[in-house]
Amino acid sequence: MRDILITGGTGFVSGYLADYFVRNGDRVWALNRDSKDQLPGVTLIRADRHCLGDALKGRLFDSVIDVVAYDAADVESLLSVLEGQPTYVLISSSAVYPETLPQPFTEDMPIGENRIWGEYGMGKVRAEAAARRLRPDSYIIRPPYLYGPMQNLYREPFVFDCARMGRPFYLPGDGEMPLQFFHVDDLCRLIRILLDTKPECRIYNVGEPETVTVRDWVQLCYDVVGAPCRMIPVHGDHAQRSYFCFHPYAYQLEVERQEALLPELIPLKEGLIQSWAWYQQHENTVMKRDYLGYIDEHFAGQDRD
């Protein structure tokens, strides 16, 4: 049994992590402002991470999993007051790799500005630098697109909605753009391995070893819902993010380090089945975007046979 502090603890990734480690018998604390419902079995530390004061004074943790650090100040405010020497795990992002680098991206490549991700990516670059400076033995994890139960972004839920409404799906171009995913439960299992074994490598790309095309991913989502799928390609002057849930940016991470620790992953279709089951019961937790409004306004009539 470990004492684990998780920043956040109520959102998609942080909430799933908190629930996962509770289910695995650890004592879990969540550091947040108590603006959302707390998960069962998790002990709340109510505080703003930038104004911690004595909130963590006298508290000793075996591990800290920092999910909601988006810049150097986030990391510095937490690490400056942590007592003892807990294992520190920073959830970073694949957005730290400049899009100009050759692919697949490896952990040894330089990180820096990515024009697609902009300030979000640069914030993660600065957060990583602060972690390495203040805690050189930190573990840094760089995921691609995360998915699974508790998903609150309108990604696979958007496709599920199109499927259950019996709508055709509007593909960006020919639908061959590759996407790389990683199930949130696989993320949890990898972190548990890091905490258990303390490997020497400190930075890990994570994700499915193989990418999947947009077309195949959409088809899987429709299959999971049990609906037939008719796809309509979109060409011309339409911003992809107006009608589709991912940027027009294809990339892939090399994940050999991950595979050495976690060779078996949840198959994508199985993971989507879990996502669909969750979404049906928790639809109100998803932050929906009006893709369908744009589609109905700009593509009216294109779905006719």
Side-chain angles (χ1 to χ4, degrees), residues 26-45:
D26 294 300
R27 289 184 291 261
V28 177
W29 282 259
L31 175 64
N32 61 63
R33 292 173 293 180
D34 198 20
S35 60
K36 299 179 181 178
D37 293 339
Q38 304 298 315
L39 293 176
V42 177
T43 301
L44 170 67
I45 300 177

Side-chain angles (χ1 to χ4, degrees), residues 129-145:
R132 290 194 299 269
R133 173 171 49 85
L134 297 172
R135 197 64 66 87
D137 60 351
S138 299
Y139 287 106
I140 295 171
I141 299 178
R142 298 169 178 166
Y145 296 119

Side-chain angles (χ1 to χ4, degrees), residues 122-133:
M122 284 305 300
K124 288 293 189 179
V125 169
R126 292 188 288 265
E128 287 194 17
R132 290 194 299 269
R133 173 171 49 85

Side-chain angles (χ1 to χ4, degrees), residues 238-244 289-295:
H238 295 282
Q240 183 169 303
R241 288 290 279 142
S242 298
Y243 66 92
F244 184 63
R289 298 182 58 164
D290 193 22
Y291 299 127
L292 294 179
Y294 185 92
I295 288 169

Side-chain angles (χ1 to χ4, degrees), residues 132 141 156 175 196 247 252:
R132 290 194 299 269
I141 299 178
E156 62 266 28
D196 286 345
H247 289 286
Q252 183 175 14

Side-chain angles (χ1 to χ4, degrees), residues 76 146 175 192 241 291 296:
E76 293 163 354
L146 291 165
R192 186 179 67 180
R241 288 290 279 142
Y291 299 127
D296 289 342

Side-chain angles (χ1 to χ4, degrees), residues 3 5 29 45 52-62 78 80-86:
D3 293 311
L5 174 66
W29 282 259
I45 300 177
L52 286 169
D54 293 335
L56 299 181
K57 187 175 180 59
R59 299 179 184 269
L60 295 177
F61 302 101
D62 299 302
L78 179 61
S80 64
V81 300
L82 277 179
E83 299 185 9
Q85 290 294 317

Side-chain angles (χ1 to χ4, degrees), residues 2 54 71 81 119 137 149 183 199 203 242 246 251 276 278:
R2 280 176 294 245
D54 293 335
D71 212 322
V81 300
E119 182 55 28
D137 60 351
H183 195 287
I203 302 176
S242 298
F246 293 109
Y251 68 92
W276 170 231
W278 169 268

